[in-house]
Amino acid sequence: MMKDRDLFPPETLQELKYLIAKRHIVFPDSLERVAREIMDRPELMAFESAAAIARHCGVSQTTVHRLAQHIGFGTLREFRAMMKDHIRQTAAKRSYYLAETMVVGRRFPTSP
């Protein structure tokens, strides 16, 4: 359960990981199993159904929904949206980095 913090859900995956590391959010066993999988593979929450996540983690669909509420989200959909935002931002950063490395590695002709 959340300790000594407002009931607002984390806005980013990094914030969620920080809250977990600082023990501001503590999970019962079944929720922890799902949370660990989600932290390792955010695409599970972003793109899989609650049923698929539950099967993958060996828990019920209800447990997957309870995880979102335990973290502070009103619904699983809200948690999923945060994870999708994380994936979008990560992909955008990687694309930018890749483009920058490609440009730095090229030799442009000099003007006469």
Side-chain angles (χ1 to χ4, degrees):
M1 191 54 93
M2 289 188 250
K3 296 178 178 178
D4 301 327
R5 68 180 284 263
D6 295 328
L7 295 178
F8 296 108
E11 293 183 15
T12 65
L13 181 59
Q14 288 76 21
E15 182 181 353
L16 175 57
K17 287 180 177 182
Y18 173 82
L19 293 170
I20 292 168
K22 292 294 184 179
R23 308 280 296 161
H24 292 284
I25 300 177
V26 179
F27 300 103
D29 290 342
S30 60
L31 293 183
E32 184 172 343
R33 187 176 324 143
V34 180
R36 284 181 184 275
E37 285 295 322
I38 300 298
M39 297 302 113
D40 290 343
R41 297 184 53 208
E43 69 276 4
L44 277 176
M45 180 57 68
F47 303 115
E48 296 291 339
S49 67
I53 296 167
R55 277 191 307 275
H56 180 81
C57 297
V59 298
S60 70
Q61 287 185 49
T62 304
T63 300
V64 176
H65 287 275
R66 278 197 338 253
L67 174 66
Q69 294 170 346
H70 186 81
I71 292 170
F73 292 96
T75 65
L76 185 64
R77 180 175 286 172
E78 292 172 5
F79 188 22
R80 187 180 311 277
M82 187 265 288
M83 297 303 265
K84 284 181 179 179
D85 286 344
H86 166 75
I87 290 170
R88 275 189 214 106
Q89 291 171 3
T90 302
K93 286 177 188 175
R94 285 183 181 157
S95 294
Y96 177 78
Y97 176 76
L98 181 60
E100 285 294 308
T101 14
M102 291 174 72
V103 168
V104 170
R106 286 189 188 159
R107 294 182 181 255
F108 292 100
T110 56
S111 299

